Amino acid sequence: GENVEQHPSTLSVQEGDSAVIKCTYSDSASNYFPWYKQELGKRPQLIIDIRSNVGEKKDQRIAVTLNKTAKHFSLHITETQPEDSAVYFCAAPNSGGGADGLTFGKGTHLIIQP
Amino acid sequence: NAGVTQTPKFQVLKTGQSMTLQCAQDMNHEYMSWYRQDPGMGLRLIHYSVGAGITDQGEVPNGYNVSRSTTEDFPLRLLSAAPSQTSVYFCASSYLARGVEQYFGPGTRLTVT
């Protein structure tokens, strides 16, 4: 099955600075890579995803990059704000097509310092 | 649309008791799944279903049963609760089995004493 490693486990940045969270995966056939944000006591919610036919995707202050050769993908948040404080999870399909659900990383607790 | 709903929100069980966690969605999604979330472990897949009458095991299925008699409902049964099953349980659904957003329910916090 898929193995997803996520780093760092905790990330503290000053408000206004950028934050980068990195994930690696093991199955070279994986083709879909979502990022979820989970606020304290809430459910995970999708914030951005990328498919294997593109190398980068942006949505306002959030971007995701994918390096298929190295089997890693990263979440970039620019101009961080207090509401960005949360736990972020990367994920990859359990099989190449994702029919068996998702394997999640262990999460990154992002702390935005005022 | 209510989206994905789960009941109960909180539950305390004694070791050996059984119970069913309910999950329902009103988005006509074919794919439904159950995850458990433990501190520092992320979300781990317990069971999933690609349609009514079809279920399969995920990464951590032991101690849990599921069934899918309708498109809308996907209950998770704990057969004989153990302290190791203390966790937050999330149900999720999507309109395809692969490559699309998973919509999560609000979660059920279960404590087994």
mmCIF file with all atom_site columns, all heavy atoms in Angstrom, chain A residues 22-37:
data_model
loop_
_atom_site.group_PDB
_atom_site.id
_atom_site.type_symbol
_atom_site.label_atom_id
_atom_site.label_alt_id
_atom_site.label_comp_id
_atom_site.label_asym_id
_atom_site.label_entity_id
_atom_site.label_seq_id
_atom_site.pdbx_PDB_ins_code
_atom_site.Cartn_x
_atom_site.Cartn_y
_atom_site.Cartn_z
_atom_site.occupancy
_atom_site.B_iso_or_equiv
_atom_site.pdbx_formal_charge
_atom_site.auth_seq_id
_atom_site.auth_comp_id
_atom_site.auth_asym_id
_atom_site.auth_atom_id
_atom_site.pdbx_PDB_model_num
ATOM 1   N N   . LYS A 1 22 ? 5.946   19.636 3.618   1.00 0.00 ? 22 LYS A N   1
ATOM 2   C CA  . LYS A 1 22 ? 6.370   18.700 2.582   1.00 0.00 ? 22 LYS A CA  1
ATOM 3   C C   . LYS A 1 22 ? 5.889   17.279 2.856   1.00 0.00 ? 22 LYS A C   1
ATOM 4   O O   . LYS A 1 22 ? 5.846   16.847 4.012   1.00 0.00 ? 22 LYS A O   1
ATOM 5   C CB  . LYS A 1 22 ? 7.899   18.718 2.470   1.00 0.00 ? 22 LYS A CB  1
ATOM 6   C CG  . LYS A 1 22 ? 8.463   20.069 2.088   1.00 0.00 ? 22 LYS A CG  1
ATOM 7   C CD  . LYS A 1 22 ? 9.984   20.039 1.995   1.00 0.00 ? 22 LYS A CD  1
ATOM 8   C CE  . LYS A 1 22 ? 10.520  21.420 1.583   1.00 0.00 ? 22 LYS A CE  1
ATOM 9   N NZ  . LYS A 1 22 ? 12.007  21.431 1.462   1.00 0.00 ? 22 LYS A NZ  1
ATOM 10  N N   . CYS A 1 23 ? 5.566   16.570 1.790   1.00 0.00 ? 23 CYS A N   1
ATOM 11  C CA  . CYS A 1 23 ? 5.151   15.176 1.900   1.00 0.00 ? 23 CYS A CA  1
ATOM 12  C C   . CYS A 1 23 ? 5.834   14.344 0.829   1.00 0.00 ? 23 CYS A C   1
ATOM 13  O O   . CYS A 1 23 ? 6.061   14.828 -0.286  1.00 0.00 ? 23 CYS A O   1
ATOM 14  C CB  . CYS A 1 23 ? 3.639   15.040 1.754   1.00 0.00 ? 23 CYS A CB  1
ATOM 15  S SG  . CYS A 1 23 ? 2.728   15.637 3.190   1.00 0.00 ? 23 CYS A SG  1
ATOM 16  N N   . THR A 1 24 ? 6.153   13.107 1.175   1.00 0.00 ? 24 THR A N   1
ATOM 17  C CA  . THR A 1 24 ? 6.647   12.148 0.202   1.00 0.00 ? 24 THR A CA  1
ATOM 18  C C   . THR A 1 24 ? 5.694   10.965 0.152   1.00 0.00 ? 24 THR A C   1
ATOM 19  O O   . THR A 1 24 ? 4.986   10.680 1.125   1.00 0.00 ? 24 THR A O   1
ATOM 20  C CB  . THR A 1 24 ? 8.058   11.660 0.557   1.00 0.00 ? 24 THR A CB  1
ATOM 21  O OG1 . THR A 1 24 ? 8.004   11.012 1.846   1.00 0.00 ? 24 THR A OG1 1
ATOM 22  C CG2 . THR A 1 24 ? 9.044   12.805 0.625   1.00 0.00 ? 24 THR A CG2 1
ATOM 23  N N   . TYR A 1 25 ? 5.645   10.296 -0.991  1.00 0.00 ? 25 TYR A N   1
ATOM 24  C CA  . TYR A 1 25 ? 4.800   9.132  -1.146  1.00 0.00 ? 25 TYR A CA  1
ATOM 25  C C   . TYR A 1 25 ? 5.603   8.011  -1.788  1.00 0.00 ? 25 TYR A C   1
ATOM 26  O O   . TYR A 1 25 ? 6.686   8.242  -2.344  1.00 0.00 ? 25 TYR A O   1
ATOM 27  C CB  . TYR A 1 25 ? 3.546   9.461  -1.967  1.00 0.00 ? 25 TYR A CB  1
ATOM 28  C CG  . TYR A 1 25 ? 3.812   9.940  -3.377  1.00 0.00 ? 25 TYR A CG  1
ATOM 29  C CD1 . TYR A 1 25 ? 3.731   9.070  -4.458  1.00 0.00 ? 25 TYR A CD1 1
ATOM 30  C CD2 . TYR A 1 25 ? 4.130   11.269 -3.632  1.00 0.00 ? 25 TYR A CD2 1
ATOM 31  C CE1 . TYR A 1 25 ? 3.965   9.509  -5.748  1.00 0.00 ? 25 TYR A CE1 1
ATOM 32  C CE2 . TYR A 1 25 ? 4.366   11.717 -4.913  1.00 0.00 ? 25 TYR A CE2 1
ATOM 33  C CZ  . TYR A 1 25 ? 4.274   10.838 -5.971  1.00 0.00 ? 25 TYR A CZ  1
ATOM 34  O OH  . TYR A 1 25 ? 4.510   11.278 -7.250  1.00 0.00 ? 25 TYR A OH  1
ATOM 35  N N   . SER A 1 26 ? 5.084   6.787  -1.727  1.00 0.00 ? 26 SER A N   1
ATOM 36  C CA  . SER A 1 26 ? 5.884   5.647  -2.162  1.00 0.00 ? 26 SER A CA  1
ATOM 37  C C   . SER A 1 26 ? 5.421   5.040  -3.487  1.00 0.00 ? 26 SER A C   1
ATOM 38  O O   . SER A 1 26 ? 6.244   4.481  -4.220  1.00 0.00 ? 26 SER A O   1
ATOM 39  C CB  . SER A 1 26 ? 5.858   4.560  -1.074  1.00 0.00 ? 26 SER A CB  1
ATOM 40  O OG  . SER A 1 26 ? 4.533   4.124  -0.823  1.00 0.00 ? 26 SER A OG  1
ATOM 41  N N   . ASP A 1 27 ? 4.127   5.144  -3.792  1.00 0.00 ? 27 ASP A N   1
ATOM 42  C CA  . ASP A 1 27 ? 3.588   4.483  -4.980  1.00 0.00 ? 27 ASP A CA  1
ATOM 43  C C   . ASP A 1 27 ? 3.706   5.406  -6.198  1.00 0.00 ? 27 ASP A C   1
ATOM 44  O O   . ASP A 1 27 ? 3.012   6.414  -6.284  1.00 0.00 ? 27 ASP A O   1
ATOM 45  C CB  . ASP A 1 27 ? 2.123   4.108  -4.737  1.00 0.00 ? 27 ASP A CB  1
ATOM 46  C CG  . ASP A 1 27 ? 1.536   3.264  -5.859  1.00 0.00 ? 27 ASP A CG  1
ATOM 47  O OD1 . ASP A 1 27 ? 2.187   3.124  -6.915  1.00 0.00 ? 27 ASP A OD1 1
ATOM 48  O OD2 . ASP A 1 27 ? 0.423   2.758  -5.687  1.00 0.00 ? 27 ASP A OD2 1
ATOM 49  N N   . SER A 1 28 ? 4.559   5.036  -7.133  1.00 0.00 ? 28 SER A N   1
ATOM 50  C CA  . SER A 1 28 ? 4.783   5.870  -8.304  1.00 0.00 ? 28 SER A CA  1
ATOM 51  C C   . SER A 1 28 ? 3.549   5.966  -9.197  1.00 0.00 ? 28 SER A C   1
ATOM 52  O O   . SER A 1 28 ? 3.467   6.850  -10.050 1.00 0.00 ? 28 SER A O   1
ATOM 53  C CB  . SER A 1 28 ? 5.967   5.331  -9.116  1.00 0.00 ? 28 SER A CB  1
ATOM 54  O OG  . SER A 1 28 ? 5.732   3.986  -9.498  1.00 0.00 ? 28 SER A OG  1
ATOM 55  N N   . ALA A 1 29 ? 2.568   5.083  -8.996  1.00 0.00 ? 29 ALA A N   1
ATOM 56  C CA  . ALA A 1 29 ? 1.341   5.131  -9.794  1.00 0.00 ? 29 ALA A CA  1
ATOM 57  C C   . ALA A 1 29 ? 0.316   6.113  -9.231  1.00 0.00 ? 29 ALA A C   1
ATOM 58  O O   . ALA A 1 29 ? -0.692  6.389  -9.882  1.00 0.00 ? 29 ALA A O   1
ATOM 59  C CB  . ALA A 1 29 ? 0.716   3.740  -9.885  1.00 0.00 ? 29 ALA A CB  1
ATOM 60  N N   . SER A 1 30 ? 0.548   6.647  -8.040  1.00 0.00 ? 30 SER A N   1
ATOM 61  C CA  . SER A 1 30 ? -0.399  7.598  -7.446  1.00 0.00 ? 30 SER A CA  1
ATOM 62  C C   . SER A 1 30 ? -0.548  8.817  -8.328  1.00 0.00 ? 30 SER A C   1
ATOM 63  O O   . SER A 1 30 ? 0.434   9.337  -8.868  1.00 0.00 ? 30 SER A O   1
ATOM 64  C CB  . SER A 1 30 ? 0.067   8.012  -6.050  1.00 0.00 ? 30 SER A CB  1
ATOM 65  O OG  . SER A 1 30 ? -0.079  6.944  -5.144  1.00 0.00 ? 30 SER A OG  1
ATOM 66  N N   . ASN A 1 31 ? -1.785  9.309  -8.464  1.00 0.00 ? 31 ASN A N   1
ATOM 67  C CA  . ASN A 1 31 ? -2.035  10.383 -9.429  1.00 0.00 ? 31 ASN A CA  1
ATOM 68  C C   . ASN A 1 31 ? -2.897  11.517 -8.882  1.00 0.00 ? 31 ASN A C   1
ATOM 69  O O   . ASN A 1 31 ? -3.331  12.393 -9.639  1.00 0.00 ? 31 ASN A O   1
ATOM 70  C CB  . ASN A 1 31 ? -2.702  9.799  -10.671 1.00 0.00 ? 31 ASN A CB  1
ATOM 71  C CG  . ASN A 1 31 ? -3.987  9.063  -10.347 1.00 0.00 ? 31 ASN A CG  1
ATOM 72  O OD1 . ASN A 1 31 ? -4.456  9.089  -9.217  1.00 0.00 ? 31 ASN A OD1 1
ATOM 73  N ND2 . ASN A 1 31 ? -4.565  8.419  -11.344 1.00 0.00 ? 31 ASN A ND2 1
ATOM 74  N N   . TYR A 1 32 ? -3.168  11.517 -7.581  1.00 0.00 ? 32 TYR A N   1
ATOM 75  C CA  . TYR A 1 32 ? -4.033  12.548 -7.011  1.00 0.00 ? 32 TYR A CA  1
ATOM 76  C C   . TYR A 1 32 ? -3.552  12.847 -5.603  1.00 0.00 ? 32 TYR A C   1
ATOM 77  O O   . TYR A 1 32 ? -3.413  11.934 -4.790  1.00 0.00 ? 32 TYR A O   1
ATOM 78  C CB  . TYR A 1 32 ? -5.481  12.062 -6.992  1.00 0.00 ? 32 TYR A CB  1
ATOM 79  C CG  . TYR A 1 32 ? -6.443  12.974 -6.274  1.00 0.00 ? 32 TYR A CG  1
ATOM 80  C CD1 . TYR A 1 32 ? -6.762  14.226 -6.799  1.00 0.00 ? 32 TYR A CD1 1
ATOM 81  C CD2 . TYR A 1 32 ? -7.017  12.608 -5.068  1.00 0.00 ? 32 TYR A CD2 1
ATOM 82  C CE1 . TYR A 1 32 ? -7.632  15.076 -6.142  1.00 0.00 ? 32 TYR A CE1 1
ATOM 83  C CE2 . TYR A 1 32 ? -7.885  13.441 -4.409  1.00 0.00 ? 32 TYR A CE2 1
ATOM 84  C CZ  . TYR A 1 32 ? -8.193  14.677 -4.947  1.00 0.00 ? 32 TYR A CZ  1
ATOM 85  O OH  . TYR A 1 32 ? -9.065  15.510 -4.289  1.00 0.00 ? 32 TYR A OH  1
ATOM 86  N N   . PHE A 1 33 ? -3.319  14.145 -5.301  1.00 0.00 ? 33 PHE A N   1
ATOM 87  C CA  . PHE A 1 33 ? -2.690  14.514 -4.028  1.00 0.00 ? 33 PHE A CA  1
ATOM 88  C C   . PHE A 1 33 ? -3.436  15.698 -3.409  1.00 0.00 ? 33 PHE A C   1
ATOM 89  O O   . PHE A 1 33 ? -3.226  16.847 -3.788  1.00 0.00 ? 33 PHE A O   1
ATOM 90  C CB  . PHE A 1 33 ? -1.217  14.861 -4.251  1.00 0.00 ? 33 PHE A CB  1
ATOM 91  C CG  . PHE A 1 33 ? -0.472  13.765 -4.957  1.00 0.00 ? 33 PHE A CG  1
ATOM 92  C CD1 . PHE A 1 33 ? -0.336  13.782 -6.332  1.00 0.00 ? 33 PHE A CD1 1
ATOM 93  C CD2 . PHE A 1 33 ? 0.065   12.705 -4.244  1.00 0.00 ? 33 PHE A CD2 1
ATOM 94  C CE1 . PHE A 1 33 ? 0.334   12.759 -6.994  1.00 0.00 ? 33 PHE A CE1 1
ATOM 95  C CE2 . PHE A 1 33 ? 0.733   11.679 -4.892  1.00 0.00 ? 33 PHE A CE2 1
ATOM 96  C CZ  . PHE A 1 33 ? 0.860   11.719 -6.272  1.00 0.00 ? 33 PHE A CZ  1
ATOM 97  N N   . PRO A 1 34 ? -4.300  15.415 -2.445  1.00 0.00 ? 34 PRO A N   1
ATOM 98  C CA  . PRO A 1 34 ? -5.060  16.488 -1.790  1.00 0.00 ? 34 PRO A CA  1
ATOM 99  C C   . PRO A 1 34 ? -4.397  16.960 -0.506  1.00 0.00 ? 34 PRO A C   1
ATOM 100 O O   . PRO A 1 34 ? -3.618  16.229 0.108   1.00 0.00 ? 34 PRO A O   1
ATOM 101 C CB  . PRO A 1 34 ? -6.394  15.805 -1.478  1.00 0.00 ? 34 PRO A CB  1
ATOM 102 C CG  . PRO A 1 34 ? -6.022  14.372 -1.243  1.00 0.00 ? 34 PRO A CG  1
ATOM 103 C CD  . PRO A 1 34 ? -4.825  14.081 -2.116  1.00 0.00 ? 34 PRO A CD  1
ATOM 104 N N   . TRP A 1 35 ? -4.738  18.180 -0.115  1.00 0.00 ? 35 TRP A N   1
ATOM 105 C CA  . TRP A 1 35 ? -4.345  18.727 1.172   1.00 0.00 ? 35 TRP A CA  1
ATOM 106 C C   . TRP A 1 35 ? -5.618  19.113 1.931   1.00 0.00 ? 35 TRP A C   1
ATOM 107 O O   . TRP A 1 35 ? -6.493  19.779 1.385   1.00 0.00 ? 35 TRP A O   1
ATOM 108 C CB  . TRP A 1 35 ? -3.470  19.967 0.994   1.00 0.00 ? 35 TRP A CB  1
ATOM 109 C CG  . TRP A 1 35 ? -2.076  19.659 0.568   1.00 0.00 ? 35 TRP A CG  1
ATOM 110 C CD1 . TRP A 1 35 ? -1.599  19.554 -0.704  1.00 0.00 ? 35 TRP A CD1 1
ATOM 111 C CD2 . TRP A 1 35 ? -0.957  19.423 1.435   1.00 0.00 ? 35 TRP A CD2 1
ATOM 112 N NE1 . TRP A 1 35 ? -0.249  19.253 -0.690  1.00 0.00 ? 35 TRP A NE1 1
ATOM 113 C CE2 . TRP A 1 35 ? 0.164   19.172 0.609   1.00 0.00 ? 35 TRP A CE2 1
ATOM 114 C CE3 . TRP A 1 35 ? -0.784  19.388 2.817   1.00 0.00 ? 35 TRP A CE3 1
ATOM 115 C CZ2 . TRP A 1 35 ? 1.433   18.897 1.127   1.00 0.00 ? 35 TRP A CZ2 1
ATOM 116 C CZ3 . TRP A 1 35 ? 0.469   19.121 3.334   1.00 0.00 ? 35 TRP A CZ3 1
ATOM 117 C CH2 . TRP A 1 35 ? 1.570   18.873 2.497   1.00 0.00 ? 35 TRP A CH2 1
ATOM 118 N N   . TYR A 1 36 ? -5.656  18.689 3.204   1.00 0.00 ? 36 TYR A N   1
ATOM 119 C CA  . TYR A 1 36 ? -6.805  18.998 4.052   1.00 0.00 ? 36 TYR A CA  1
ATOM 120 C C   . TYR A 1 36 ? -6.354  19.854 5.224   1.00 0.00 ? 36 TYR A C   1
ATOM 121 O O   . TYR A 1 36 ? -5.257  19.671 5.756   1.00 0.00 ? 36 TYR A O   1
ATOM 122 C CB  . TYR A 1 36 ? -7.460  17.713 4.574   1.00 0.00 ? 36 TYR A CB  1
ATOM 123 C CG  . TYR A 1 36 ? -8.270  16.988 3.538   1.00 0.00 ? 36 TYR A CG  1
ATOM 124 C CD1 . TYR A 1 36 ? -7.656  16.156 2.601   1.00 0.00 ? 36 TYR A CD1 1
ATOM 125 C CD2 . TYR A 1 36 ? -9.650  17.144 3.477   1.00 0.00 ? 36 TYR A CD2 1
ATOM 126 C CE1 . TYR A 1 36 ? -8.399  15.507 1.635   1.00 0.00 ? 36 TYR A CE1 1
ATOM 127 C CE2 . TYR A 1 36 ? -10.400 16.488 2.518   1.00 0.00 ? 36 TYR A CE2 1
ATOM 128 C CZ  . TYR A 1 36 ? -9.765  15.676 1.602   1.00 0.00 ? 36 TYR A CZ  1
ATOM 129 O OH  . TYR A 1 36 ? -10.512 15.032 0.642   1.00 0.00 ? 36 TYR A OH  1
ATOM 130 N N   . LYS A 1 37 ? -7.238  20.749 5.637   1.00 0.00 ? 37 LYS A N   1
ATOM 131 C CA  . LYS A 1 37 ? -7.014  21.607 6.797   1.00 0.00 ? 37 LYS A CA  1
ATOM 132 C C   . LYS A 1 37 ? -8.015  21.222 7.866   1.00 0.00 ? 37 LYS A C   1
ATOM 133 O O   . LYS A 1 37 ? -9.209  21.045 7.582   1.00 0.00 ? 37 LYS A O   1
ATOM 134 C CB  . LYS A 1 37 ? -7.211  23.079 6.407   1.00 0.00 ? 37 LYS A CB  1
ATOM 135 C CG  . LYS A 1 37 ? -7.121  24.066 7.557   1.00 0.00 ? 37 LYS A CG  1
ATOM 136 C CD  . LYS A 1 37 ? -7.408  25.482 7.062   1.00 0.00 ? 37 LYS A CD  1
ATOM 137 C CE  . LYS A 1 37 ? -7.321  26.504 8.175   1.00 0.00 ? 37 LYS A CE  1
ATOM 138 N NZ  . LYS A 1 37 ? -7.640  27.880 7.689   1.00 0.00 ? 37 LYS A NZ  1
#
